[in-house]
């Protein structure tokens, strides 16, 4: 498939807004990638065009039944002036996994990755240069057929939009406070907890709002069946570092399979750390925090990279982890991952792809 390219004339483009604090996800670049799907035609009309509103029928499937999936990755401006993507092939593969689960058409992973690189190349002036900042990339697919019956849509839109984002840790690499909820659950076995689909995030809002009112940044989710096993935190996977073991919950179908998670597991194993993916109870975590056996706790995800957890609230008690300080393992993982992403360190795993 050919990509039609239709760019705004220079004088119609927005003024670059890359100075000062860039808020997350509020500024968008001048252009977007866009393509359409119809049952009879497959994917067609691939184009890079001006960023603009999408006009949909009020009966479009996505509005009523949330048949939609998305991805999130970043383009980094390297210390050598080259533009890097971190494991974008994994995002494409995960998007297709999500598509299959939501009865949506698969994309041609290589084609879409090529289109993504082309778009980032066209918009490269929008990549902020400060270390820690990046161009956030949001691919999304949704069912657009105008039909109120509950069945897979026969028509879809796929697009990619770009948003320059500031450094997550402008104020320092400081641990966050998280709230363990046993009132709400995020995902049940057999459901869609391991899919990046809109409804999961709408369903999590009430718990986040309650946690924030109490002074906590994020929610730590427990399993839906026994409300005992730790799952993940906010939009991050979670790790616990005990004296002799780095533990992260196994992918049992209710947890999003994070690409940062996968990368952290591989690096830690290569550093000789005993990494295990297993079920872990909240009681084991609390006991570890109480006795000091739990050395560190941190979340992992594209937005924050590594987010140290310093405090955990559970059943009305607050527990401190590692004295509320960032531990050496979280620091080392953060330095190594961002080092690879910004081209300061070699990429021994072949995780980086360049733009163009
Ligand atoms: C996207 C996401 C993650 C992190 O995945 P990465 O690929 O590391 O960015 C973790 N949990 C949830 C619920 C997510 O949506």
């Amino acid at each position: 498939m050919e990509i039609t390219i239709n760019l705004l004339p220079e004088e119609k483009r927005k003024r670059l807004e890359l100075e000062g604090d860039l808020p997350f996800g509020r500024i968008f670049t001048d252009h977007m990638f866009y393509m359409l799907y119809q049952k009879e035609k497959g994917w067609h009309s691939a184009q890079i065009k001006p960023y603009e509103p999408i006009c949909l029928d009020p009966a479009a499937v996505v509005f009523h039944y949330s048949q939609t999936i998305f991805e999130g990755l970043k383009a980094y401006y390297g210390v050598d002036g080259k533009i890097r993507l971190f494991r974008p092939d994994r995002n494409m593969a995960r998007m297709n996994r999500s598509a299959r689960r939501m009865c949506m058409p698969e994309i041609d992973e290589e084609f879409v990755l090529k289109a993504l690189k082309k778009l980032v190349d066209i918009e490269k002036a929008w990549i902020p240069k400060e270390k820690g900042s990046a161009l956030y990339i949001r691919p999304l697919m949704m069912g657009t057929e105008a039909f109120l019956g509950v069945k897979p849509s026969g028509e879809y839109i796929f697009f990619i939009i770009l948003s320059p984002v500031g450094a997550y840790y402008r104020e320092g690499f400081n641990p966050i406070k998280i709230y363990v909820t046993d009132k709400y659950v995020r995902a049940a076995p057999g459901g869609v907890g391991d899919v990046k689909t809109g409804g999961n995030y709408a369903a999590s809002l009430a718990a986040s709002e309650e946690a924030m009112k109490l002074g906590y940044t994020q929610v730590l989710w427990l399993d839906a069946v026994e409300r005992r096993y730790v799952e993940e935190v906010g939009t991050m996977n979670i790790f616990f570092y005990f004296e002799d073991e780095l533990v992260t919950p196994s992918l049992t179908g209710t947890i999003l399979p994070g690409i940062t998670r996968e990368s952290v597991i591989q690096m830690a194993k290569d550093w000789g750390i005993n990494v295990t993916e297993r079920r872990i109870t909240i009681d084991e975590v609390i006991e570890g925090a109480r006795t000091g056996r739990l050395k560190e706790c941190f979340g992992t995800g594209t937005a924050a990279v590594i987010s140290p957890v310093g405090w955990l609230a559970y059943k009305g008690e607050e527990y401190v982890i590692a004295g509320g300080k960032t531990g050496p393992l979280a620091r080392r993982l953060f330095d190594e991952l961002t080092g690879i992403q910004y081209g300061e360190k070699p990429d021994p795993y072949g995780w980086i792809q360049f733009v163009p």
Side-chain angles (χ1 to χ4, degrees):
M1 191 178 5
E2 285 294 311
I3 303 173
T4 309
I5 297 181
N6 166 23
L7 302 184
L8 277 175
E10 290 290 342
E11 69 276 9
K12 290 236 171 106
R13 296 190 192 178
K14 283 181 257 183
R15 228 162 29 112
L16 289 180
E17 297 177 59
L18 301 176
E19 298 305 315
D21 280 355
L22 284 168
F24 181 84
R26 290 198 182 273
I27 300 166
F28 300 96
T29 70
D30 288 311
H31 302 95
M32 64 195 290
F33 172 76
Y34 183 88
M35 64 179 180
L36 299 170
Y37 179 94
Q38 263 139 351
K39 223 173 178 168
E40 322 75 54
K41 290 171 82 174
W43 288 109
H44 64 91
S45 305
Q47 52 194 291
I48 289 175
K49 63 170 191 170
Y51 182 99
E52 63 188 7
I54 291 170
C55 185
L56 292 180
D57 193 293
V61 169
V62 62
F63 294 144
H64 304 266
Y65 310 124
S66 298
Q67 199 189 12
T68 176
I69 56 175
F70 67 94
E71 271 302 324
L73 66 159
K74 286 172 173 173
Y76 307 88
Y77 187 87
V79 289
D80 52 3
K82 289 187 184 156
I83 300 162
R84 288 170 169 77
L85 300 171
F86 184 74
R87 311 187 75 180
D89 50 313
R90 303 295 298 141
N91 294 92
M92 296 298 120
R94 189 168 65 189
M95 186 125 202
N96 269 342
R97 232 183 115 257
S98 297
R100 288 190 291 271
R101 178 65 179 83
M102 304 301 285
C103 297
M104 298 167 83
E106 291 188 37
I107 51 166
D108 176 338
E109 294 174 25
E110 268 177 44
F111 171 76
V112 172
L113 183 49
K114 214 174 73 188
L116 183 155
K117 287 178 178 172
K118 180 87 203 154
L119 178 67
V120 170
D121 192 35
I122 287 170
E123 301 289 62
K124 60 176 176 260
W126 285 93
I127 308 177
K129 297 192 169 70
E130 188 200 351
K131 168 93 195 258
S133 63
L135 188 64
Y136 186 79
I137 305 169
R138 169 55 59 86
L140 183 141
M141 192 199 300
M142 59 186 169
T144 53
E145 189 181 353
F147 176 57
L148 293 182
V150 179
K151 75 166 187 68
S153 176
E155 294 169 15
Y156 297 84
I157 290 178
F158 175 95
F159 65 71
I160 303 173
I161 55 173
L162 307 175
S163 173
V165 294
Y168 205 88
Y169 295 108
R170 191 180 287 269
E171 269 124 57
F173 191 42
N174 292 322
I176 56 167
K177 296 175 74 166
I178 61 179
Y179 185 82
V180 185
T181 180
D182 53 7
K183 176 174 166 193
Y184 299 103
V185 292
R186 181 183 167 276
V192 291
D194 58 350
V195 178
K196 262 182 137 63
T197 183
N200 284 340
Y201 304 84
S204 76
L205 296 176
S208 308
E209 291 289 296
E210 285 182 25
M212 286 207 288
K213 267 197 203 119
L214 296 168
Y216 296 87
T217 329
Q218 304 247 10
V219 171
L220 179 65
W221 301 100
L222 300 179
D223 78 284
V225 179
E226 296 183 55
R227 305 214 184 169
R228 269 182 76 206
Y229 296 99
V230 172
E231 298 228 303
E232 58 183 316
V233 51
T235 54
M236 293 187 286
N237 295 110
I238 190 136
F239 286 77
F240 302 96
Y241 188 37
F242 294 97
E243 269 152 3
D244 51 359
E245 186 189 17
L246 178 62
V247 185
T248 192
S250 33
L251 299 177
T252 50
T254 52
I255 297 170
L256 205 288
I259 295 159
T260 321
R261 173 188 182 277
E262 189 180 308
S263 309
V264 161
I265 291 173
Q266 181 152 8
M267 289 192 304
K269 279 186 179 164
D270 289 350
W271 295 343
I273 294 168
N274 172 31
V275 186
T276 49
E277 295 176 62
R278 64 170 171 86
R279 302 194 85 187
I280 176 167
T281 64
I282 187 65
D283 300 322
E284 184 181 350
V285 171
I286 298 296
E287 184 59 19
R290 203 182 266 136
T291 60
R293 208 176 80 77
L294 176 61
K295 297 297 176 202
E296 295 185 36
C297 173
F298 51 84
T300 65
T302 296
V305 194
I306 304 287
S307 186
V309 175
W311 295 268
L312 265 183
Y314 180 54
K315 290 197 190 292
E317 299 270 344
E318 192 175 82
Y319 303 87
V320 185
I321 300 163
K325 303 239 159 54
T326 296
L329 181 60
R331 164 70 59 190
R332 185 177 177 196
L333 286 163
F334 179 81
D335 288 345
E336 190 66 25
L337 269 174
T338 56
I340 294 172
Q341 290 164 344
Y342 291 89
E344 297 162 328
K345 292 189 182 223
D347 167 28
Y349 304 103
W351 283 342
I352 295 298
Q353 293 193 28
F354 291 94
V355 175

